[in-house]
Amino acid sequence: MLLLVLLLLLPLSDPWAVHGHPLYMRLPPSILQALSAHGTRALQAAQRSAQWTVNRVAMEIRHRLHECTGAGRPRPPAPLLQDPAEPGPCGERRPSSVNVTRAHGRIVGGSAAPPGAWPWLVRLQLGGQPLCGGVLVAASWVLTAAHCFAGAQNELLWTVTLAEGPQGEQAEEVPVNRILPHPKFDPRTFHNDLALVQLWTPVSPVGAWRPVCLPRGPREPPAGTACAIAGWGALFEDGPEAEAVREARVPLLSTDTCKRALGPELHPSSMLCAGYLAGGVDSCQGDSGGPLTCSEPGPRPREVLYGVTSWGDGCGEPGKPGVYTRVAVFKDWLQEQMNANPSSREPSCRELLAWEPPGEPPANAAPPCAFYARLCPGPAAACARLAHQQCLQRRRRCELRSLAHTLLGLLRGAQELLGPSPGMRRLAPTLARPALSLPEPPRHPAREQRLHPGSRAAGARFSKRRPEQRVEANGCPGLESLQQKLTTLQGTHAWILQVPAEHLAMDFHEVLADLGSKTLTGLFRAWVRAGLGGQHVVFGGLVGLEPATMARSLPRLLVQALQAFRLAALAEAEGARMGSRQSQGLGRKGHPPLSPQISPARGP
Ligand code: ARG
């Protein structure tokens, strides 16, 4: 893209001449604009990444605190890797919330549900941004749609927000430990659109949430049965997402009716339809992964999960009912996954990052490395050593997979910018304010994937962050190191986190190339003046003046600009600390245009 823009914009003009000889050349405004646009995007990515990195540790602290302060029953510090599929009662709704759901005239996305009406309904967030619904089927397991993870299968990026209580109690946000998409999920056809998500900590039985019941047999209730859908999805096709949970009652449709309505796109072996052929009542974008439950009559009625919201042709359109993944036919797969022995699975990144590797491999491979030792035919000690090595290797890969790397992959060398640097800790207290809201959240690929016109980007809301409490680390193992980690991260990322969202724009004011300074690689020394918010930096760099060399040189200028802003923020903080406002490399608002006499703040 940048290359294309460049090709269109060349040849350059505006050489600055002395005695008739061009000595300096200013890059034209169109190039500066392209640089600014890319710089702004890089800044946004850097802020999102920084925010997420900090929030992830803050969330771990909340969980550790929750465990240590004895809120709920005592819970193990590590994930409970096995729990029965249906611990205790399932599918029970609070009496006050039953009968609320009824059909409405036109409620694509549903009518408002009372708080706590669907205690198994959860929300899946990618980098803090809600993308899909999900259904709690056991203390540690959420069932959802596999398409929610298309292109984003890194469990470290996902969290699950549990249902809020009937009195509107604060919903709890739990990190995801593992994502298990159905192995036969087909992203083209949405065949087998189902995924299990394992929570990092099981939900507490004293909370407001309850698991739904899974079907006992492989069949659904007969066509015409009135079932319920719920979620935060769009209120109408291409409309905004709901602020609160919405619900609707929709009848199950027979396979024949459904096939007639949707044609060959319907794969009845893994899909079922529900809704009205007249249209008007349906799930919609953002409801994916949420529940389609039917009430099982009896002395104590139970809600049983028969469908997981998957796709539709638009939302609520006449003749186009909603399509749900048939949960009943996946019962064996679900049981198998939820009851699997932990050592039969490769350790997740979250498990490996929480693991403190011992200096020496232990005599017998213990969790999380036992997986790598299980097929090893050699003597136990040798196998344990091997498993330890494999664990370490994968742990390193996990570190690389963390969000900072993913988002900033687009910026060559940007990791370096975000690396810890001494002295930044001092900036940490400035971060005590609530997290910034971010412009332009990432679009979720799943939303663009199906070709039906209802596709839309997810809403731009971010979950509320609670201010961190400092609690005695005594008696809460691991808390102190987590708090230290948080302080370090806040300091490391302060330079970008401090910039209010509305000022998060990079402005390249001027790039002046010295025509007499051509290097062996065909680049020219240049002075660059750029602004971020009210701050300006001036730095030296190298720029190409031919299309190819220029395309090569611009990303580096972007990285240098980011670095310059980071150093400027550091210097300013340092300056403030020393009681002086003057800081190296930092200009003021309304900086005059560069002139050849101005020497660069730093050499190229
Ligand atoms: N695929 C959508 C999502 O990702 C769900 C669409 C449901 N559409 C429907 N008409 N029932 O949220």
Side-chain angles (χ1 to χ4, degrees):
M1 176 67 187
L2 190 57
L3 225 168
L4 211 127
V5 175
L6 294 173
L7 289 172
L8 290 175
L9 296 172
L10 289 173
L12 302 167
S13 53
D14 191 19
W16 200 88
V18 172
H19 307 305
H21 299 292
L23 289 180
Y24 293 92
M25 183 180 274
R26 233 172 228 129
L27 294 199
S30 41
I31 299 270
L32 298 182
Q33 266 162 26
L35 263 173
S36 302
H38 281 265
T40 300
R41 242 174 285 155
L43 279 172
Q44 289 169 347
Q47 194 180 66
R48 271 202 296 271
S49 160
Q51 213 157 41
W52 173 245
T53 310
V54 168
N55 286 342
R56 211 174 62 199
V57 179
M59 208 164 61
E60 299 270 357
I61 290 179
R62 277 208 299 274
H63 272 272
R64 189 44 51 99
L65 279 172
H66 188 74
E67 279 155 11
C68 295
T69 51
R73 70 183 157 145
R75 291 203 261 159
L80 186 65
L81 289 177
Q82 254 184 315
D83 59 352
E86 291 175 20
C90 62
E92 280 179 12
R93 300 185 66 196
R94 243 161 245 97
S96 58
S97 58
V98 185
N99 294 333
V100 185
T101 309
R102 58 203 155 79
H104 289 244
R106 189 190 182 281
I107 55 156
V108 175
S111 62
W118 303 102
W120 38 83
L121 178 65
V122 303
R123 225 168 175 188
L124 265 67
Q125 278 116 206
L126 175 68
Q129 187 191 2
L131 281 189
C132 272
V135 197
L136 197 67
V137 292
S140 298
W141 293 97
V142 164
L143 194 55
T144 184
H147 79 255
C148 294
F149 304 103
Q153 292 210 4
N154 181 353
E155 65 271 12
L156 294 174
L157 311 185
W158 288 89
T159 55
V160 166
T161 301
L162 304 169
E164 61 176 29
Q167 265 81 51
E169 294 96 329
Q170 175 80 51
E172 198 185 325
E173 199 176 342
V174 189
V176 162
N177 181 42
R178 187 183 291 280
I179 299 166
L180 299 168
H182 191 278
K184 294 205 172 130
F185 166 60
D186 183 340
R188 268 178 323 109
T189 61
F190 275 32
H191 209 357
N192 307 308
D193 188 12
L194 206 64
L196 265 171
V197 170
Q198 187 183 40
L199 303 178
W200 177 240
T201 46
V203 300
S204 150
V206 297
W209 34 87
R210 295 278 171 275
V212 76
C213 300
L214 288 172
R216 289 185 222 262
R219 294 206 176 287
E220 292 82 28
T225 305
C227 298
I229 49 177
W232 287 265
L235 302 172
F236 49 88
E237 204 174 324
D238 285 329
E241 288 193 7
E243 287 295 329
V245 179
R246 298 180 79 83
E247 57 181 330
R249 205 159 267 291
V250 285
L252 297 185
L253 299 180
S254 73
T255 303
D256 281 353
T257 311
C258 193
K259 268 212 103 94
R260 268 199 304 279
L262 298 171
E265 280 202 67
L266 187 90
H267 296 272
S269 61
S270 77
M271 302 172 188
L272 63 84
C273 288
Y276 298 90
L277 291 180
V281 183
D282 197 4
S283 47
C284 204
Q285 265 58 52
D287 286 324
S288 272
L292 167 76
T293 55
C294 311
S295 169
E296 196 179 81
R300 291 179 76 180
R302 312 171 343 133
E303 288 287 319
V304 182
L305 183 75
Y306 284 102
V308 163
T309 306
S310 178
W311 61 275
D313 199 345
C315 298
E317 286 184 18
K320 303 286 179 200
V323 182
Y324 301 81
T325 306
R326 291 183 66 188
V327 175
V329 297
F330 293 100
K331 204 169 173 209
D332 290 348
W333 179 71
L334 294 175
Q335 295 300 353
E336 209 178 286
Q337 299 306 316
M338 290 193 281
N339 297 328
N341 186 326
S343 66
S344 68
R345 277 200 192 108
E346 185 157 36
S348 71
C349 275
R350 204 174 276 288
E351 283 161 2
L352 284 171
L353 294 177
W355 172 60
E356 289 292 342
E360 286 296 310
N364 282 305
C369 310
F371 168 83
Y372 298 112
R374 84 199 191 295
L375 295 178
C376 176
C383 287
R385 224 179 2 261
L386 217 69
H388 187 75
Q389 284 312 320
Q390 279 177 292
C391 245
L392 287 177
Q393 257 170 33
R394 186 160 140 78
R395 191 170 185 268
R396 265 195 295 277
R397 280 204 299 275
C398 288
E399 281 163 354
L400 287 175
R401 264 175 63 189
S402 74
L403 185 69
H405 292 269
T406 316
L407 280 178
L408 296 182
L410 62 121
L411 262 181
R412 269 186 280 143
Q415 291 97 320
E416 209 183 291
L417 292 177
L418 300 175
S421 82
M424 288 300 279
R425 265 161 213 249
R426 276 187 289 279
L427 294 175
T430 57
L431 292 169
R433 64 206 169 92
L436 306 163
S437 65
L438 298 176
E440 217 194 312
R443 287 179 141 242
H444 189 243
R447 299 305 167 88
E448 272 93 53
Q449 228 173 34
R450 277 200 78 81
L451 297 174
H452 58 76
S455 288
R456 57 191 289 282
R461 281 185 308 281
F462 284 77
S463 53
K464 289 189 202 78
R465 313 272 171 209
R466 278 164 269 168
E468 289 320 313
Q469 315 149 253
R470 263 207 98 85
V471 151
E472 264 322 302
N474 287 346
C476 194
L479 185 63
E480 200 170 304
S481 72
L482 275 173
Q483 275 169 339
Q484 264 165 16
K485 194 165 158 189
L486 182 69
T487 311
T488 309
L489 283 173
Q490 284 176 327
T492 310
H493 298 305
W495 72 278
I496 184 83
L497 287 173
Q498 288 182 108
V499 184
E502 63 276 15
H503 292 156
L504 200 64
M506 195 183 284
D507 229 345
F508 276 83
H509 298 298
E510 199 164 24
V511 178
L512 203 57
D514 175 353
L515 294 180
S517 67
K518 193 167 183 177
T519 66
L520 286 176
T521 51
L523 301 178
F524 296 83
R525 229 177 116 168
W527 291 271
V528 182
R529 193 164 57 83
L532 163 59
Q535 295 191 322
H536 293 262
V537 288
V538 178
F539 59 91
L542 289 172
V543 68
L545 297 177
E546 308 286 325
T549 49
M550 182 182 276
R552 229 175 344 110
S553 64
L554 294 192
R556 194 164 43 191
L557 286 190
L558 283 178
V559 172
Q560 281 181 310
L562 283 173
Q563 178 127 41
F565 286 122
R566 177 172 166 264
L567 290 174
L570 234 170
E572 190 170 316
E574 189 72 16
R577 206 177 62 87
M578 308 292 285
S580 148
R581 281 265 136 213
Q582 280 171 1
S583 54
Q584 182 203 349
L586 242 187
R588 305 211 169 275
K589 278 187 189 173
H591 199 289
L594 284 178
S595 69
Q597 287 79 19
I598 296 175
S599 56
R602 287 190 296 124

